[in-house]
Amino acid sequence: MAGKPKLHYTKGRGKMESIRWLLAAAGVEFEEEFIETKEDLEKLRSDGVLLFQQVPMVEIDGMRMVQTRAILSYIAAKYNLYGKDLKERAWIDMYVEGTTDLMGMIMYLPFQPADTKEKNLALIIERATARYFPVYEKALKDHGQDYLVGNKLSWADVHLLEAILMVEECKADVLSAFPQLQAFKGRISNIPTIKKFLQPGSQRKPPTDEKFVAVVRKIFNI
């Protein structure tokens, strides 16, 4: 029997967090080897295990996978979270790319200069409520099903819940005008594997704070 997937990344959210979410939703136990110093990262690079000298890197099924999108696609397909045909996969991809764009804005916010943070935070809320959330609200309303694609849990649902919770950390009542998304959040949060991941003590990482920003800057020379 193959061992548990091993995740190589810093001890924070970043690009690895969506991978943690997807594995957890699939009910897959995983191990983490944290990069805590610049030397830890240099060792991975000098050992030749990072295809493009970058992390995230996930050891899974005898592979050392890099590139976030490739890792997520593989996990989604392996654990039947990627639709039943090409059309469903295309919809999942479109929804995931949308939430990825939104989450990217939030992910980089703590690394921005203090004088631009307020403006960028307002932009995040504006994009969430005017560009992204209306799409998911309409999709759920139009087809009247519990999930975004094919009435079955998929990567798109897991990603959207992660995005919703990230935006709520920026503005707690952001879903006030989106009843479908409020109900969706409740449903998906109560799926046993996801509910477990949302409990204290899980491998879910806390929001990025200034202390973690300083660690990341040191490791990656930014």
Side-chain angles (χ1 to χ4, degrees):
M1 186 178 151
K4 295 175 185 174
K6 184 183 278 189
L7 282 48
H8 296 263
Y9 201 65
T10 54
K11 203 172 185 176
R13 287 185 182 176
K15 292 190 173 184
M16 186 65 90
E17 191 70 356
S18 291
I19 297 166
R20 296 182 186 110
W21 265 88
L22 199 56
L23 285 168
V28 179
E29 291 185 10
F30 57 89
E31 298 172 353
E32 299 191 80
E33 194 159 303
F34 295 116
I35 297 164
E36 300 186 81
T37 65
K38 192 176 174 184
E39 289 70 32
D40 291 341
L41 179 62
E42 285 308 320
K43 185 175 189 315
L44 284 174
R45 286 173 172 164
S46 63
D47 287 349
V49 300
L50 302 178
L51 191 63
F52 299 113
Q53 309 294 309
Q54 295 170 308
V55 288
M57 190 268 278
V58 175
E59 295 183 64
I60 185 169
D61 296 341
M63 295 184 288
R64 291 186 175 119
M65 291 196 74
V66 296
Q67 298 293 10
T68 311
R69 170 81 203 195
I71 297 165
L72 286 164
S73 299
Y74 182 82
I75 293 165
K78 179 178 170 75
Y79 294 104
N80 202 21
L81 294 166
Y82 211 174
K84 70 176 189 299
D85 56 30
L86 274 175
K87 280 192 175 179
E88 285 195 359
R89 186 167 290 199
W91 276 104
I92 290 166
D93 283 341
M94 285 192 282
Y95 289 144
V96 163
E97 290 298 317
T99 39
T100 298
D101 289 345
L102 179 57
M103 288 194 286
M105 294 173 73
I106 300 169
M107 197 185 303
Y108 293 116
L109 189 66
F111 293 88
Q112 292 167 354
D115 58 347
T116 63
K117 273 187 188 172
E118 200 170 322
K119 188 177 105 178
N120 287 322
L121 181 60
L123 180 62
I124 287 164
I125 303 305
E126 190 273 329
R127 286 279 167 85
T129 54
R131 179 179 295 188
Y132 296 107
F133 286 174
V135 169
Y136 305 111
E137 181 77 7
K138 184 176 187 299
L140 291 163
K141 188 175 181 183
D142 286 354
H143 64 46
Q145 296 174 333
D146 286 349
Y147 305 103
L148 283 170
V149 180
N151 204 26
K152 180 179 181 294
L153 182 69
S154 76
W155 173 18
D157 301 303
V158 179
H159 221 237
L160 177 54
L161 178 61
E162 183 189 359
I164 286 170
L165 297 182
M166 285 176 76
V167 181
E168 284 185 333
E169 288 169 353
C170 299
K171 188 176 190 290
D173 66 347
V174 75
L175 290 187
S176 57
F178 301 100
Q180 296 288 335
L181 286 181
Q182 289 174 39
F184 171 89
K185 175 191 163 187
R187 282 196 303 274
I188 307 302
S189 296
N190 276 300
I191 291 168
T193 52
I194 294 174
K195 190 173 184 177
K196 184 180 175 186
F197 188 63
L198 291 172
Q199 299 303 311
S202 79
Q203 287 165 293
R204 186 181 179 215
K205 302 297 179 272
T208 300
D209 59 15
E210 286 182 18
K211 187 178 172 186
F212 183 65
V213 167
V215 170
V216 170
R217 288 192 189 282
K218 201 168 179 183
I219 293 170
F220 295 99
N221 267 343
I222 53 175

